[in-house]
Amino acid sequence: MRISLIERIFHVEQRGSTIRRELLAGQTSFMAMCYVIFVVPGMLADAGMPKDAAVAATIWVTILATLLMGFWARFPVAVAPGLGISAFFAYYICGPAGYDWRTGLGAVFISGVIFLLLTLTKVRQMIIDAVPMDLKYAIVVGIGAFIAFIGMKNCGIVAGDAATFVTLGNLAAPQTLLAVCGIFLTGALLALRVPGSMVISIVIISALGIALGISQPPQDNFFSPIPPLPMDVIGQLDIKDALAHGLFSIIFTLTMVDLFDNMGVLIGLSQKAGFIHKDGHIENLDKALVTDSIATMTSAVMGATTATSYLECATGVIEGGRTGLTAVTIAVLFFLTLFFTPLVALVPSYATAPVLIIVGAMMMQEVAKIRFQEFTVALPAFLTIISMPLTFNIATGFGFGFVSWVGLRALTGRFREMHGIMLIIALCFAVNFALRLQ
């Protein structure tokens, strides 16, 4: 009876999956993205928010938004406060711009309302349907390159350099050596088609890190019988002050970045999961976008930044996740972290980094579908792909891709071939780039 109920809700068999595979995919995605519990609250604390409350807000937003994504939109994707948006919030809005974090949360809420209006009026769906398939494939590849770059950065394979910007990291560092071992281990397990290969790799590398003294297990106070609530930040957003200050450029940036970051992640994961039809339509995408809109408004009320779909869920999709049961599994595991938050630290970034790199390699397969022989396609696709990891920003990759696509067609006399929405998107990105020059 329980299995039939799960099937009735999530259509697991209809999507060509199994309950075991969905649960395993949820565990994999969770282990790849659980670092959000530590990274996002740290940035929110830098913005002036109480650290403990920021931790609770981040986790609760992730739980609620991901449950909605799983039960309603039925996408195998988790939704949580975004890293890029959190950095923009902490280190610009509440930094050089000089606004209080409460005013910043007000701007986040307003941007969420805009997302919802664009979604309900089908504008967001129209935007995604208007994107040419070549650019959609380029987005998938670019996200793959971005994911791999994040993995290499997190484990120290690549490092910053004043002269060359990026260089080879210290391969003698214990964390980096373990990550390299993890890459080979994960690759071998996948090649041998071992079920749960990514989870196995993460567990083994994490255990080795503890055994070798690289990672330290929690010593005490690792269990809390009562889940914490973000009482110090919940409901503290100041919408009136955000409107009074006329934060047009900030709200515009929040809107543009979340719109295209989220769109990029959903397109990329949908392509890998096989959700994109031959005509480019993505099943249940409208519900996923509404979920993102509601999640952003909820996040602002709870005391966190703009919520967005997470790239790291590609690990779960690769593992076989195809339904909302994967997302529900992720949400349940995040709920458990409220009781065992210190134990989540047992999964270090160097243990999940190999999985991110492997996923990036898998997503690179879509590059073969791009029509590189046509230069008006090749250049925008290339700029989309290369600029995502190099600028560490998915939205920037979108901007370069759309502006160059429209520009090349206009200059080569093929202006009429473009969808009108493509022109509007390119103009919006051009405005966004212009605002950054100020």
Side-chain angles (χ1 to χ4, degrees):
M1 182 66 181
R2 186 182 304 170
I3 295 178
S4 63
L5 177 62
I6 292 176
E7 177 62 32
R8 192 157 54 245
I9 295 174
F10 299 108
H11 308 295
V12 176
E13 293 183 7
Q14 183 179 326
R15 287 282 180 89
S17 185
T18 65
I19 294 176
R20 180 178 179 278
R21 190 180 302 159
E22 295 295 309
L23 296 178
L24 191 60
Q27 295 172 36
T28 305
S29 292
F30 168 78
M31 295 180 78
M33 66 172 290
C34 61
Y35 67 87
V36 68
I37 298 172
F38 306 98
V39 178
V40 170
M43 290 189 282
L44 296 182
D46 289 341
M49 299 174 66
K51 179 70 176 291
D52 291 342
V55 172
T58 299
I59 297 175
W60 276 111
V61 167
T62 304
I63 293 169
L64 297 175
T66 304
L67 283 176
L68 185 60
M69 182 68 82
F71 279 115
W72 189 53
R74 296 174 183 172
F75 260 65
V77 178
V79 182
L83 297 183
I85 288 289
S86 296
F88 177 71
F89 180 91
Y91 306 120
Y92 178 74
I93 297 177
C94 300
Y99 295 105
D100 183 76
W101 59 267
R102 299 169 185 81
T103 303
L105 291 179
V108 169
F109 184 87
I110 295 170
S111 68
V113 174
I114 296 173
F115 301 153
L116 184 60
L117 292 176
L118 292 176
T119 302
L120 295 178
T121 56
K122 301 295 183 181
V123 173
R124 289 176 80 172
Q125 181 67 55
M126 290 169 60
I127 290 173
I128 295 175
D129 289 341
V131 178
M133 285 304 299
D134 291 291
L135 274 185
K136 287 181 178 177
Y137 291 135
I139 289 167
V140 176
V141 178
I143 290 174
F146 185 64
I147 289 175
F149 186 70
I150 291 174
M152 290 184 176
K153 173 181 173 293
N154 286 349
C155 67
I157 292 178
V158 297
D161 184 85
T164 61
F165 298 106
V166 178
T167 188
L168 182 66
N170 180 15
L171 297 183
Q175 297 92 333
T176 306
L177 284 174
L178 276 179
V180 172
C181 292
I183 294 172
F184 282 101
L185 175 61
T186 308
L189 292 174
L190 285 170
L192 294 172
R193 301 184 183 278
V194 176
S197 55
M198 294 186 183
V199 172
I200 292 173
S201 174
I202 291 173
V203 171
I204 290 176
I205 298 301
S206 298
L208 283 174
I210 294 174
L212 296 173
I214 299 172
S215 299
Q216 296 297 324
Q219 301 301 316
D220 52 17
N221 297 326
F222 59 85
F223 177 77
S224 174
I226 302 176
L229 293 173
M231 301 306 298
D232 292 335
V233 295
I234 191 169
Q236 295 297 309
L237 70 167
D238 194 337
I239 301 174
K240 182 178 179 180
D241 197 45
L243 292 173
H245 281 90
L247 304 182
F248 171 76
S249 63
I250 289 176
I251 294 172
F252 180 83
T253 301
L254 288 170
T255 302
M256 292 293 291
V257 171
D258 184 68
L259 172 62
F260 290 101
D261 267 12
N262 194 59
M263 183 173 114
V265 172
L266 290 176
I267 288 176
L269 297 183
S270 295
Q271 176 67 29
K272 185 54 62 177
F275 294 164
I276 300 182
H277 300 168
K278 291 183 178 180
D279 61 358
H281 177 72
I282 301 176
E283 184 179 355
N284 277 351
L285 181 62
D286 54 342
K287 291 183 178 180
L289 294 174
V290 170
T291 298
D292 170 61
S293 307
I294 295 174
T296 292
M297 291 186 287
T298 303
S299 187
V301 173
M302 294 290 291
T305 50
T306 303
T308 186
S309 302
Y310 255 69
L311 288 172
E312 286 78 1
C313 291
T315 59
V317 171
I318 295 296
E319 196 66 59
R322 294 294 182 271
T323 75
L325 183 56
T326 294
V328 172
T329 302
I330 298 170
V332 171
L333 292 173
F334 267 102
F335 179 74
L336 294 178
T337 65
L338 289 169
F339 300 93
F340 300 97
T341 301
L343 293 180
V344 179
L346 293 177
V347 181
S349 59
Y350 61 79
T352 58
V355 174
L356 298 180
I357 295 169
I358 294 293
V359 168
M362 291 179 169
M363 297 183 76
M364 191 62 64
Q365 297 171 7
E366 304 299 330
V367 75
K369 300 177 182 179
I370 301 173
R371 295 175 296 150
F372 276 108
Q373 67 275 13
E374 184 178 338
F375 199 73
T376 55
V377 170
L379 183 58
F382 172 75
L383 291 175
T384 300
I385 294 168
I386 198 71
S387 59
M388 287 188 188
L390 291 186
T391 65
F392 216 72
N393 193 310
I394 293 175
T396 300
F398 269 83
F400 286 179
F402 283 116
V403 171
S404 59
W405 183 281
V406 171
L408 280 179
R409 269 160 173 67
L411 292 172
T412 56
R414 301 171 61 181
F415 195 82
R416 293 184 179 181
E417 296 180 9
M418 291 183 298
H419 198 292
I421 292 179
M422 283 292 293
L423 178 59
I424 296 174
I425 295 172
L427 289 174
C428 287
F429 269 116
V431 170
N432 191 36
F433 289 144
L435 288 173
R436 297 187 185 186
L437 298 176
Q438 298 178 1

